[in-house]
Amino acid sequence: MKLTYPHTLALVTGASRGIGKSIAQALAQEGLTVLCVSRSEAGCQDTLAAIAESGGTAHALAVDVADPDAVEAACKTINDRWGAVSILVNNAGITADNLLLRMKNKEWDDVLATNLSSCFYWCRGLVSGMTQKRWGRIVNITSVSGLRGNAGQANYAAAKAGMIGFTKSIARELASRNITANAVAPGFIQTDMTHGLSEDIKEKILPHIPLKRFGVAADISAMVTFLCAQEANFITGQTFTVDGGMVM
Ligand code: NAP
């Protein structure tokens, strides 16, 4: 199916590597101009180079998504320089795993701020531009941990579950403006985030994946690209699990 995008400016957070890089590349491949956010401008240079090589257009922005003032300032700059963002993908995320009794306040606060609060900051900052165009797409990258919990990830699972409630609420709130909001819940995807897991843990996870492989970033970007297209215009408030069948 040929997908269509009536408006051409997209923003992807956490676009310097992994899933976010793949999403940025896939949207650029569809002809969108992609604003790539990570903590440093240098961080997204690889992404920009890959997009330029395939004939696409992208720009890098250094924004700490956990900092409300930084996001607010970035939204203003974007609006002044490029105009309204019509497609927002909240993908930036971190983990800081620990057992409940050992979890530090900072581990809790950082994970909640980077994964969950950031979605609120970006949506609040960019939604008025979508409202004016009466067209918008918001996709929040949650996790299967947010659907079923995970020992050692109380902070991350709480943030990712919070993203699902947030997505459903804004989907209801923004529907009348023709803005959709959906969440995508990846399972185990091979990126830097999962690179550090021991072979032992990976061997324990694999038998629980019916499709018998770990995912790759392109498995997620395929779903996101569809949800951002005009053709997904009757889909909102949903969470799509992309995990090889692990959660059914
Ligand atoms: P990754 O390879 O670790 O990349 C994380 C991205 O987030 C990087 O681009 C990083 O940018 C950015 N980021 C982190 N903190 C940031 C901050 N404060 N401000 C701006 N950018 C920040 O992770 P990934 O595996 O691609 O994961 C992407 C998303 O998918 C995350 O939300 C993650 O929770 C979710 N997810 C991943 C998996 C998986 O198996 N990999 C499974 C379920 C869900 P810089 O460090 O360059 O600034």
Side-chain angles (χ1 to χ4, degrees), residues 120 123-124 127 131 134 138 165-181 236-237:
F120 161 57
C123 289
R124 184 180 56 182
V127 89
T131 300
R134 298 198 77 74
I138 297 167
F166 174 76
T167 303
K168 289 181 183 182
S169 296
I170 62 168
R172 289 184 188 279
E173 206 171 306
L174 301 174
S176 62
R177 326 270 165 80
N178 196 30
I179 299 167
T180 67
T236 198

Side-chain angles (χ1 to χ4, degrees), residues 8-25:
T8 55
L9 189 61
L11 183 141
V12 180
T13 69
S16 62
R17 56 179 185 272
I19 293 170
K21 180 180 181 186
S22 177
I23 294 169
Q25 287 181 273

Side-chain angles (χ1 to χ4, degrees), residues 178-195:
N178 196 30
I179 299 167
T180 67
N182 291 289
V184 173
F188 189 107
I189 308 298
Q190 287 174 310
T191 68
D192 287 358
M193 188 175 268
T194 49
H195 188 68

Side-chain angles (χ1 to χ4, degrees), residues 13-21 23 37-40 42-44 61-67 90-95 110 113-115 118 122 141-145 156 160 163 184-195 197 215 217 220 242:
T13 69
S16 62
R17 56 179 185 272
I19 293 170
K21 180 180 181 186
I23 294 169
V37 172
S38 71
R39 277 168 290 198
S40 68
C44 283
L61 288 164
V63 187
D64 178 353
V65 300
D67 177 348
N90 285 304
N91 163 81
I94 56 164
T95 53
D110 287 352
T114 305
N115 292 277
S118 61
W122 283 108
I141 307 300
T142 174
S143 167
V144 291
S145 294
Y156 184 73
K160 293 304 194 185
M163 287 172 73
V184 173
F188 189 107
I189 308 298
Q190 287 174 310
T191 68
D192 287 358
M193 188 175 268
T194 49
H195 188 68
L197 293 177
I220 307 304
V242 182

